[in-house]
């Protein structure tokens, strides 16, 4: 290797991107993502009105949880708040079609951008 070339960064399996081919595979990835997110926990301290945040991208499943605020800002929502964890697990069963509105937030799963 010449001194002007840079070494290639090795790619780990989780960095290579997950590609699901069927609805069943997407559903399974949503369930895995939901369980991992809940195991690690999350807190939304403040989310401005009409904005969103993605949770779970670091999990490497190819799916993220998108949490969006409506017309009002939302403060202090935790994964342990009533209905959140149960709702995410139920929502994950519907895969990418799953939706939930709770505490002024809209929750849904989406494919992670590469």
């Amino acid at each position: 290797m010449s001194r002007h070339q840079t070494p290639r960064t090795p790619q780990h399996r989780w960095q290579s991107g997950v590609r699901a081919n069927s609805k069943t595979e997407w559903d399974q990835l949503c369930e895995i993502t939901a369980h991992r997110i809940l195991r690690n926990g999350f807190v939304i301290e403040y989310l401005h009105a009409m904005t969103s945040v993605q949770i779970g991208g670091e999990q490497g499943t190819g799916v993220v949880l998108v949490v969006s605020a409506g017309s009002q800002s939302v403060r202090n929502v935790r994964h342990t708040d009533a209905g959140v964890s149960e709702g995410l697990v139920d929502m994950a069963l519907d895969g990418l079609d799953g939706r939930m509105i709770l505490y002024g937030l809209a929750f849904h799963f989406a494919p992670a951008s590469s």
Side-chain angles (χ1 to χ4, degrees):
M1 174 183 324
S2 75
R3 65 180 208 171
H4 297 290
Q5 290 178 327
T6 57
R8 264 186 92 186
T9 304
Q11 276 201 338
H12 300 285
R13 184 173 168 263
W14 58 270
Q15 289 178 323
S16 62
V18 177
R19 302 272 188 253
N21 294 320
S22 70
K23 181 176 179 353
T24 303
E25 289 174 347
W26 281 115
D27 292 353
Q28 290 172 347
L29 292 174
C30 290
E31 287 183 56
I32 291 168
T33 302
H35 287 286
R36 288 182 181 176
I37 288 171
L38 293 173
R39 182 178 55 225
N40 293 330
F42 69 89
V43 176
I44 298 173
E45 292 179 5
Y46 185 79
L47 192 59
H48 288 281
M50 306 304 285
T51 61
S52 63
V53 63
Q54 293 183 358
I55 301 172
E58 74 283 354
Q59 303 299 330
T61 61
V63 175
V64 293
L65 175 64
V66 179
V67 183
S68 305
S71 61
Q72 295 186 1
S73 299
V74 176
R75 293 181 183 270
N76 299 321
V77 175
R78 301 179 189 306
H79 71 285
T80 56
D81 290 346
V84 175
S85 60
E86 299 87 354
L88 287 180
V89 171
D90 287 345
M91 187 180 81
L93 297 175
D94 293 331
L96 296 177
D97 296 329
R99 303 281 186 266
M100 175 175 70
I101 297 176
L102 191 63
Y103 300 115
L105 296 169
F107 296 81
H108 74 276
F109 289 102
S113 55
S114 308

